[in-house]
Amino acid sequence: MEKLIIAAAICGAEVTKENNPAVPYTVDEIVREAKSAYDAGAAVIHLHVREDDGTPTQSKDRFQECVEAILKVCPDVIIQPSTGGALGMSDLERLQSTEIVPTPEFATLDCGTCNFGGDEIFVNTDNTIFNFAKIMKERGIKPELECFDKGMIDIALKADKKGLLEHPMHFDFVLGVQMAATLRDLAFCVGSIPPGSTWTACAIGRFEFDIAAGAIIMGGHVRVGFEDNLYLEKGVLAKSNGELVEKAVKLAKLLGREIATPDEARKILSIAKK
Ligand code: KMH
Ligand code: ZN
């Protein structure tokens, strides 16, 4: 089977130091968490950034500063800025993460609106999605198609029909936010994407490693990290993102998948280093 790409979602926009004191806010903390994940075997850093007080931001300057600082200590890692940002941000605000120099090689593209718990809604209209896809294509950024349910795969396929996506496409199935975090749902998603596409799966909270194991066995790739889950095991907070990546590496070894380096990940994902 193809080598396993591990992505680390080191920060997120919603979790806080009250949830786990190791959640990074400052540039130094973000670098510390990125390096811990990279040293443990992550090829991709899925990146959100914060103000020093923890407020989520999509500021171009803050992304620029964090990306440069991460690349100083993890020179070959693939950095995947979020264009989802935090709930309630405008499209223009969200797109700032794609405006850094050099242009990112990879970025998320959220493929639909979904419930985010309580009264919270993460809004992505068709026009937002198609516009983000068009801008990413123009800027030469490979989109990771974030699908929180099966309907979002269909919206991504609509964007593809409009010529807005390059092939092979890469999907990330996010389980446990809107669709249930079950292997049945994961298998349905995997069976719904065009042949030749690559995919990653991640799941929220205690389901993170169940879904990681499923993805490893099924030939997909894995995302772990504080954005999705703060615990190493029941009742034990992870001390770093590196600990979560280490656990994914152990699972992969047990299940017979080797870990991809960042350059191997670029080949698997058909992305070119800028
Ligand atoms: N923070 C969520 C509202 C992404 O990074 O593209 C959106 C999110 C998805 O995390
Ligand atoms: Zn994210």
Side-chain angles (χ1 to χ4, degrees):
M1 223 184 257
E2 205 168 47
K3 287 192 180 179
L4 178 75
I5 302 170
I6 300 179
I10 59 170
C11 179
E14 283 82 26
V15 290
T16 67
K17 285 189 190 295
E18 282 72 49
N19 306 131
N20 181 330
V23 169
Y25 296 166
T26 67
V27 177
D28 285 352
E29 289 169 349
I30 284 188
V31 171
R32 180 198 72 213
E33 287 307 308
K35 176 132 175 40
S36 79
Y38 171 79
D39 288 346
V44 177
I45 303 295
H46 168 66
L47 189 64
H48 289 255
V49 298
R50 310 283 186 109
E51 305 290 358
D52 285 350
D53 66 1
T55 307
T57 175
Q58 286 291 102
S59 151
K60 176 184 163 185
D61 291 345
R62 189 67 161 189
F63 265 100
Q64 186 77 45
E65 198 183 353
C66 288
V67 167
E68 284 175 9
I70 292 170
L71 289 176
K72 273 194 188 136
V73 294
C74 317
D76 59 339
V77 80
I78 300 171
I79 300 182
Q80 178 198 70
S82 168
T83 68
L87 298 177
M89 287 179 172
S90 70
D91 290 4
L92 284 180
E93 212 175 346
R94 286 166 52 181
L95 280 165
Q96 287 180 86
S97 62
T98 66
E99 291 162 8
I100 60 171
V101 182
T103 304
E105 47 194 337
F106 205 18
T108 57
L109 171 52
D110 293 280
C111 292
T113 295
C114 66
N115 285 2
F116 237 69
D119 291 325
E120 306 282 12
I121 300 178
F122 180 34
V123 178
N124 293 283
T125 65
D126 278 10
N127 286 346
T128 292
I129 298 159
F130 300 153
N131 186 39
F132 277 36
K134 181 169 170 282
I135 288 170
M136 287 191 205
K137 189 172 181 189
E138 284 164 1
R139 294 184 184 161
I141 302 169
K142 169 115 186 180
E144 176 174 89
L145 303 162
E146 306 295 317
C147 296
F148 293 71
D149 68 24
K150 158 67 168 60
M152 296 195 193
I153 298 173
D154 297 324
I155 295 175
L157 297 182
K158 262 198 231 168
D160 183 42
K161 260 201 174 158
K162 287 176 174 288
L164 298 171
L165 299 172
E166 307 269 10
H167 286 222
M169 294 186 270
H170 179 71
F171 292 82
D172 179 32
F173 306 126
V174 186
L175 292 101
V177 177
Q178 179 144 292
M179 72 177 142
T182 67
L183 291 177
R184 185 195 67 162
D185 292 77
L186 176 59
F188 193 69
C189 289
V190 174
S192 305
I193 60 176
S197 305
T198 51
W199 60 274
T200 293
C202 62
I204 302 308
R206 67 195 170 92
F207 300 105
E208 178 162 88
F209 289 101
D210 294 2
I211 292 299
I216 292 167
I217 293 166
M218 292 162 73
H221 304 283
V222 164
R223 174 173 123 174
V224 295
F226 287 161
E227 178 166 342
D228 306 328
N229 166 47
L230 299 158
Y231 289 85
L232 194 56
E233 55 191 73
K234 193 166 190 245
V236 181
L237 285 172
K239 291 193 189 72
S240 67
N241 279 277
E243 282 195 342
L244 297 170
V245 173
E246 262 169 37
K247 186 166 171 177
V249 169
K250 271 190 208 152
L251 257 183
K253 291 210 163 126
L254 273 174
L255 297 169
R257 290 275 302 269
E258 285 179 65
I259 308 301
T261 64
D263 280 340
E264 288 167 342
R266 285 185 177 89
K267 283 209 183 92
I268 294 167
L269 296 168
S270 306
I271 54 181
K273 193 169 182 357
K274 290 190 174 141

